[in-house]
């Protein structure tokens, strides 16, 4: 079993800041052209289409599009075209965003082709701009994450979130968000050094846990839960903090771990009563930015989730090894998943 700093997951997650820095220059011309087309279209609706970690990034896109653009955003099932033959008639005049690291899954390619033929303005956010998915798009936005060999996506996920934030910043001409994105690589470097080791023992010894977020952080709660499953063989379920009281709360008993990613905007004030209830039930709360999970600086509210997931990836790598798992080689999984 490798040491924590010897895994591919460790090396690739540590490189996320460099990937985001490369992205800033690499996408600028294509981003400006895309924003011109989106503004001219003025779509009444946006679609996202993705699976796995990319679909969690789509959750972040939905939050950003709806709160900052006022643009209703729908997650389209990738199999509508490949299995059910849906011609995507409702996509005409919309903005369609296909999100993928590999750009090679047949279902996603079929869904993107159907949306394009139906009259949507299609954008592919993909790590490999030469992938088949790019051939179906009007615009291709490269993630610039570089090669990623570990099965667990890390730097490519962070690069996707950063690219979505860049798109929104440019579309809305938000100078504060644009400036914060310029500082994001340095913030990610600091976040990678954050000491979350006090959470190692509670997670390494857990049988299951909740991972909670709300609004801007729901996407990273989903991503963190997936990473705990695939790298640590740890049953983790993601919920919105607004939803956990609607049934799942009954599973909480003394010592039950709850990993919390609090939002850094107006939502933050709304989560405390739920956390108090969990604590009263005996839950072991692990809150990003508090106590055992320190967070340095005061990131832009829209980018705070990206900073938090960077610190989490280092923790997940360590938890996997503590549980006797190599995070680079989870059983039954492949780097590229081809689904229909």
């Amino acid at each position: 079993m490798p040491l924590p700093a010897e895994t591919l997951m460790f090396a690739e997650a540590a490189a996320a800041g460099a990937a985001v820095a490369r992205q800033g220059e690499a996408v600028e011309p294509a981003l400006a052209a895309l924003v011109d087309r989106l503004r001219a279209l003025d779509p009444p609706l946006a679609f996202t289409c993705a699976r796995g970690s990319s679909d969690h990034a789509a959750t972040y896109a939905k939050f950003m599009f709806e709160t900052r653009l006022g643009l209703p955003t729908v997650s389209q099932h990738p199999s509508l075209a490949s299995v059910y033959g849906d011609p995507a008639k409702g996509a005409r005049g919309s903005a369609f965003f296909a999100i993928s690291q590999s750009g090679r899954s047949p279902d996603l390619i079929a869904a993107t082709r159907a949306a394009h033929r139906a009259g949507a303005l299609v954008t592919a956010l993909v790590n490999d701009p030469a992938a088949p998915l790019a051939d179906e798009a009007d615009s291709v936005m490269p993630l610039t994450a570089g090669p990623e060999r570990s099965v667990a996506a890390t730097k490519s996920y962070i690069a996707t979130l950063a690219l979505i934030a860049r798109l929104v910043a440019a579309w809305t001409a938000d100078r504060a968000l644009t400036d914060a994105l310029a500082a994001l690589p340095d913030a990610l470097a600091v976040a990678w050094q954050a000491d979350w080791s006090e959470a190692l023992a509670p997670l390494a010894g857990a049988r299951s846990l909740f991972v909670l977020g709300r609004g801007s952080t729901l996407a990273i709660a989903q991503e963190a839960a997936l990473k705990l499953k695939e790298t640590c063989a740890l049953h983790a379920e993601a919920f919105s903090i607004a939803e956990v009281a609607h049934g799942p709360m009954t599973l909480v008993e003394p010592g039950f771990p709850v990993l919390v990613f609090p939002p850094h905007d107006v939502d933050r004030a709304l989560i405390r009563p739920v956390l108090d209830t969990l604590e009263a039930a005996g839950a072991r709360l692990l809150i990003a930015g508090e106590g055992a999970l320190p967070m340095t600086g005061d990131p832009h509210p829209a980018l705070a989730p990206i900073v938090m997931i960077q610190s989490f990836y280092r923790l997940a790598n360590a938890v996997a090894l503590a549980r006797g798992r190599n995070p680079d080689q989870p059983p039954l999984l492949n780097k590229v998943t081809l689904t229909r």
Side-chain angles (χ1 to χ4, degrees):
M1 197 66 65
L3 296 173
E6 296 174 342
T7 67
L8 290 172
M9 181 179 179
F10 184 98
E12 290 170 354
V20 171
R22 285 194 305 273
Q23 184 187 88
E25 294 184 3
V27 304
E28 188 172 349
L31 182 60
L34 173 59
V35 167
D36 285 345
R37 297 184 74 172
L38 288 167
R39 287 175 175 166
L41 178 66
D42 190 21
L45 183 68
F47 290 90
T48 62
C49 194
R51 288 199 187 275
S53 291
S54 295
D55 198 32
H56 302 156
T59 299
Y60 179 74
K62 176 180 174 66
F63 172 82
M64 293 289 282
F65 291 170
E66 292 186 342
T67 59
R68 293 179 175 269
L69 291 162
L71 178 61
T73 303
V74 177
S75 174
Q76 179 171 304
H77 198 297
S79 295
L80 281 179
S82 61
V83 175
Y84 298 101
D86 190 310
K89 289 180 181 178
R92 179 173 298 278
S94 70
F96 186 97
F97 297 91
I99 306 173
S100 176
Q101 293 149 32
S102 72
R104 286 174 168 77
S105 189
D107 54 354
L108 188 58
I109 293 169
T112 304
R113 182 183 300 123
H116 191 258
R117 289 177 175 173
L121 177 62
V122 174
T123 302
L125 283 66
V126 62
N127 199 32
D128 180 4
L133 179 65
D135 295 336
E136 307 299 336
D138 297 294
S139 298
V140 179
M141 300 298 298
L143 304 182
T144 72
E148 195 172 51
R149 294 183 292 157
S150 178
V151 169
T154 52
K155 63 176 179 174
S156 61
Y157 178 74
I158 286 176
T160 307
L161 299 188
L163 186 54
I164 291 165
R166 289 186 201 282
L167 171 60
V168 171
W171 199 343
T172 58
D174 186 331
R175 175 50 58 185
L177 181 53
T178 300
D179 291 345
L181 280 160
L184 182 58
D186 289 340
L188 290 170
V190 172
W192 182 249
Q193 298 301 327
D195 183 6
W196 284 19
S197 59
E198 286 189 36
L200 179 59
L203 295 182
R207 295 180 59 191
S208 64
L209 74 149
F210 289 160
V211 186
L212 305 183
R214 176 168 170 148
S216 64
T217 62
L218 179 59
I220 62 166
Q222 294 171 335
E223 169 66 4
L226 174 62
K227 288 296 176 285
L228 291 170
K229 292 185 184 85
E230 68 181 350
T231 66
C232 308
L234 176 54
H235 182 240
E237 289 299 320
F239 293 99
S240 166
I241 297 171
E243 298 291 338
V244 72
H246 293 220
M249 186 84 79
T250 192
L251 296 174
V252 176
E253 56 187 21
F256 186 84
V258 179
L259 177 59
V260 182
F261 294 101
H264 280 232
D265 55 18
V266 294
D267 255 351
R268 192 179 184 97
L270 303 177
I271 69 173
R272 192 69 247 178
V274 176
L275 300 186
D276 289 343
T277 300
L278 289 166
E279 192 169 34
R284 175 69 183 273
L285 294 182
L286 301 166
I287 304 174
E290 298 182 15
L293 308 183
M295 184 174 173
T296 302
D298 185 22
H300 188 288
L303 304 185
I306 308 177
V307 174
M308 285 187 274
I309 199 66
Q310 173 74 321
S311 297
F312 167 80
Y313 282 146
R314 185 165 184 159
L315 173 63
N317 179 72
V319 171
L321 293 168
R323 289 172 64 87
R325 299 272 175 166
N326 185 336
D328 296 332
Q329 299 174 354
L332 308 179
L333 299 181
N334 297 303
K335 182 61 183 173
V336 177
T337 303
L338 302 177
T339 52
R340 180 173 179 269

